[in-house]
Amino acid sequence: DAKTTQPTSMDCAEGRAANLPCNHSTISGNEYVYWYRQIHSQGPQYIIHGLKNNETNEMASLIITEDRKSSTLILPHATLRDTAVYYCIVRVFNSGNTPLVFGKGTRLSVIA
Amino acid sequence: EPEVTQTPSHQVTQMGQEVILRCVPISNHLYFYWYRQILGQKVEFLVSFYNNEISEKSEIFDDQFSVERPDGSNFTLKIRSTKLEDSAMYFCASSSRGSSYNEQFFGPGTRLTVL
């Protein structure tokens, strides 16, 4: 089972920042927080991951609380193309063989 | 940008028939995965594959399922005798060893419909 809790759905106005929260209160010291998204039944797409420091890439920013029990994915300027289901996944960082355990995710609707 | 490809995009079959779903992972990747997603449900892990053998499999991956890497590029999922409940989107994914991210790259999926 997924070790994360996310809101079922969220709305965001186009051009505004979308802040997607995730709770992972049982996260272990060797587990990273990964975010993927799935646009309308396409294959899931990697967004970002982090351990304890905040991370930023061309797609998003990831803010992880100091106790690592929760995190927030930030899409700084949401567009209609960002409408998708966003999955927060806790996963051991290793040589790459660990399967991803998906929960139900948050369905983000970006509204014009 | 390299990507995972899957064929066919949609497969319709009769219950009890065998199907083979095909995937071409990203060329320098060494880890391969199959996931499935029944309509309206979560994405579920089926199996992972490395060094020509199964690394891990879920309870879903029973004796009706098998995987193979028949050559240097293809990665296949075979369902020997399909059931109605096998109807789902099947996603192939691959990841590279040594990558600082170990992210999994997913293909576009094959929609399997069992009648």
Side-chain angles (χ1 to χ4, degrees):
Chain A
D1 285 346
K3 296 177 63 175
T4 62
T5 304
Q6 300 177 251
T8 302
S9 64
M10 294 181 64
D11 292 338
C12 178
E14 188 178 21
R16 304 298 293 268
N19 297 285
L20 293 94
C22 178
N23 286 320
H24 32 79
S25 58
T26 61
I27 193 170
S28 301
N30 64 344
E31 290 179 319
Y32 281 61
V33 180
Y34 285 76
W35 283 83
Y36 281 74
R37 73 180 183 183
Q38 187 176 26
I39 298 173
H40 189 56
S41 296
Q42 296 178 22
Q45 176 190 24
Y46 167 82
I47 300 173
I48 200 167
H49 79 283
L51 179 63
K52 55 183 179 181
N53 297 321
N54 297 337
E55 302 287 344
T56 296
N57 63 20
E58 66 277 5
M59 289 183 70
S61 295
L62 175 61
I63 308 298
I64 302 174
T65 57
E66 193 169 340
D67 64 8
R68 303 210 320 124
K69 292 184 177 182
S70 65
S71 60
T72 301
L73 178 75
I74 301 172
L75 308 178
H77 304 288
T79 71
L80 298 178
R81 287 191 299 262
D82 292 321
T83 292
V85 178
Y86 288 77
Y87 301 100
C88 170
I89 299 170
V90 165
R91 178 172 177 243
V92 174
F93 187 83
N94 60 10
S95 62
N97 209 26
T98 309
L100 295 165
V101 179
F102 289 85
K104 295 183 178 180
T106 295
R107 182 173 298 278
L108 175 69
S109 298
V110 180
I111 302 167
Chain B
E1 185 175 330
E3 58 183 18
V4 177
T5 59
Q6 292 185 242
T7 54
S9 57
H10 191 186
Q11 174 89 45
V12 181
T13 189
Q14 295 290 327
M15 187 170 56
Q17 295 296 305
E18 174 184 287
V19 295
I20 297 176
L21 309 183
R22 291 181 168 80
C23 168
V24 179
I26 294 173
S27 63
N28 64 342
H29 285 186
L30 299 176
Y31 296 85
F32 313 112
Y33 312 82
W34 283 100
Y35 293 80
R36 80 171 187 189
Q37 186 175 32
I38 296 171
L39 184 64
Q41 299 188 22
K42 297 184 288 187
V43 177
E44 301 174 289
F45 166 72
L46 293 178
V47 65
S48 59
F49 191 86
Y50 170 70
N51 200 26
N52 285 320
E53 60 183 26
I54 291 174
S55 305
E56 190 171 342
K57 59 183 180 180
S58 71
E59 293 177 351
I60 303 168
F61 194 87
D62 60 23
D63 292 343
Q64 292 298 314
F65 292 88
S66 62
V67 289
E68 190 179 32
R69 188 157 163 80
D71 53 42
S73 60
N74 290 286
F75 180 51
T76 63
L77 174 69
K78 180 192 291 187
I79 309 175
R80 290 188 181 82
S81 178
T82 51
K83 303 187 284 286
L84 294 177
E85 53 265 38
D86 292 327
S87 294
M89 283 289 289
Y90 287 81
F91 296 108
C92 173
S94 68
S95 64
S96 65
R97 182 180 177 188
S99 164
S100 60
Y101 293 108
N102 290 311
E103 62 189 275
Q104 294 183 17
F105 292 84
F106 284 77
T110 292
R111 181 176 300 281
L112 176 65
T113 301
V114 182
L115 302 176

